[in-house]
Short mmCIF file of all heavy atoms in Angstrom, two decimals:
data_model
loop_
_atom_site.label_atom_id
_atom_site.label_comp_id
_atom_site.label_asym_id
_atom_site.label_seq_id
_atom_site.Cartn_x
_atom_site.Cartn_y
_atom_site.Cartn_z
N VAL A 89 22.54 -20.38 -21.12
CA VAL A 89 23.28 -20.91 -22.26
C VAL A 89 24.39 -20.04 -22.48
O VAL A 89 24.34 -18.84 -22.62
CB VAL A 89 22.36 -21.05 -23.47
CG1 VAL A 89 23.15 -21.64 -24.66
CG2 VAL A 89 21.14 -21.94 -23.21
N ARG A 90 25.63 -20.66 -22.61
CA ARG A 90 26.88 -19.97 -22.81
C ARG A 90 27.20 -19.69 -24.29
O ARG A 90 27.17 -20.63 -25.06
CB ARG A 90 28.11 -20.68 -22.09
CG ARG A 90 29.37 -19.90 -22.15
CD ARG A 90 30.60 -20.67 -21.64
NE ARG A 90 30.40 -20.95 -20.25
CZ ARG A 90 30.31 -22.12 -19.75
NH1 ARG A 90 30.25 -23.16 -20.52
NH2 ARG A 90 30.24 -22.31 -18.51
N HIS A 91 27.39 -18.43 -24.62
CA HIS A 91 27.81 -18.07 -26.00
C HIS A 91 29.28 -18.32 -26.11
O HIS A 91 30.03 -18.28 -25.13
CB HIS A 91 27.37 -16.67 -26.35
CG HIS A 91 27.40 -16.25 -27.72
ND1 HIS A 91 28.66 -15.95 -28.39
CD2 HIS A 91 26.49 -16.22 -28.72
CE1 HIS A 91 28.37 -15.58 -29.66
NE2 HIS A 91 27.04 -15.79 -29.86
N ARG A 92 29.71 -18.47 -27.36
CA ARG A 92 31.14 -18.64 -27.63
C ARG A 92 32.02 -17.47 -27.20
O ARG A 92 33.13 -17.60 -26.74
CB ARG A 92 31.37 -18.88 -29.11
CG ARG A 92 32.83 -19.31 -29.45
CD ARG A 92 32.89 -19.69 -30.89
NE ARG A 92 34.29 -20.27 -31.09
CZ ARG A 92 34.56 -20.96 -32.22
NH1 ARG A 92 33.67 -21.11 -33.19
NH2 ARG A 92 35.87 -21.43 -32.40
N ASP A 93 31.37 -16.26 -27.21
CA ASP A 93 32.14 -15.04 -26.75
C ASP A 93 32.13 -14.84 -25.24
O ASP A 93 32.63 -13.86 -24.78
CB ASP A 93 31.64 -13.82 -27.51
CG ASP A 93 30.21 -13.49 -27.13
OD1 ASP A 93 29.56 -14.14 -26.24
OD2 ASP A 93 29.58 -12.63 -27.79
N GLY A 94 31.52 -15.79 -24.52
CA GLY A 94 31.59 -15.78 -23.07
C GLY A 94 30.27 -15.24 -22.42
O GLY A 94 30.07 -15.31 -21.24
N ARG A 95 29.38 -14.60 -23.19
CA ARG A 95 28.11 -14.13 -22.69
C ARG A 95 27.30 -15.28 -22.29
O ARG A 95 27.32 -16.43 -22.81
CB ARG A 95 27.41 -13.32 -23.77
CG ARG A 95 27.97 -11.99 -24.12
CD ARG A 95 27.09 -11.29 -25.18
NE ARG A 95 27.19 -12.00 -26.45
CZ ARG A 95 26.20 -12.24 -27.25
NH1 ARG A 95 24.92 -11.87 -26.92
NH2 ARG A 95 26.38 -12.84 -28.35
N VAL A 96 26.45 -15.04 -21.24
CA VAL A 96 25.46 -16.07 -20.83
C VAL A 96 24.10 -15.58 -21.28
O VAL A 96 23.62 -14.45 -20.81
CB VAL A 96 25.55 -16.31 -19.32
CG1 VAL A 96 24.47 -17.26 -18.89
CG2 VAL A 96 26.87 -16.86 -18.97
N LEU A 97 23.38 -16.38 -22.05
CA LEU A 97 22.13 -16.07 -22.48
C LEU A 97 20.97 -16.79 -21.66
O LEU A 97 21.17 -18.00 -21.33
CB LEU A 97 21.91 -16.52 -24.03
CG LEU A 97 23.07 -16.03 -25.00
CD1 LEU A 97 22.86 -16.66 -26.38
CD2 LEU A 97 23.11 -14.47 -25.03
N ASP A 98 19.91 -16.11 -21.39
CA ASP A 98 18.79 -16.79 -20.81
C ASP A 98 17.85 -17.15 -21.86
O ASP A 98 17.12 -16.37 -22.45
CB ASP A 98 18.11 -15.82 -19.75
CG ASP A 98 19.00 -15.60 -18.45
OD1 ASP A 98 19.61 -16.67 -18.12
OD2 ASP A 98 18.90 -14.62 -17.86
N LEU A 99 17.71 -18.45 -22.17
CA LEU A 99 16.84 -18.99 -23.16
C LEU A 99 15.81 -19.98 -22.64
O LEU A 99 16.12 -20.66 -21.54
CB LEU A 99 17.64 -19.76 -24.29
CG LEU A 99 18.70 -18.87 -24.98
CD1 LEU A 99 19.46 -19.66 -26.03
CD2 LEU A 99 18.09 -17.71 -25.56
N SER A 100 14.63 -20.01 -23.21
CA SER A 100 13.67 -20.92 -22.80
C SER A 100 13.92 -22.26 -23.55
O SER A 100 13.65 -22.43 -24.74
CB SER A 100 12.23 -20.44 -23.15
OG SER A 100 11.26 -21.23 -22.60
#
Side-chain angles (χ1 to χ4, degrees):
V89 177
R90 184 186 294 114
H91 194 276
R92 187 169 188 170
D93 62 11
R95 289 179 294 138
V96 176
L97 311 175
D98 285 331
L99 300 179
S100 187

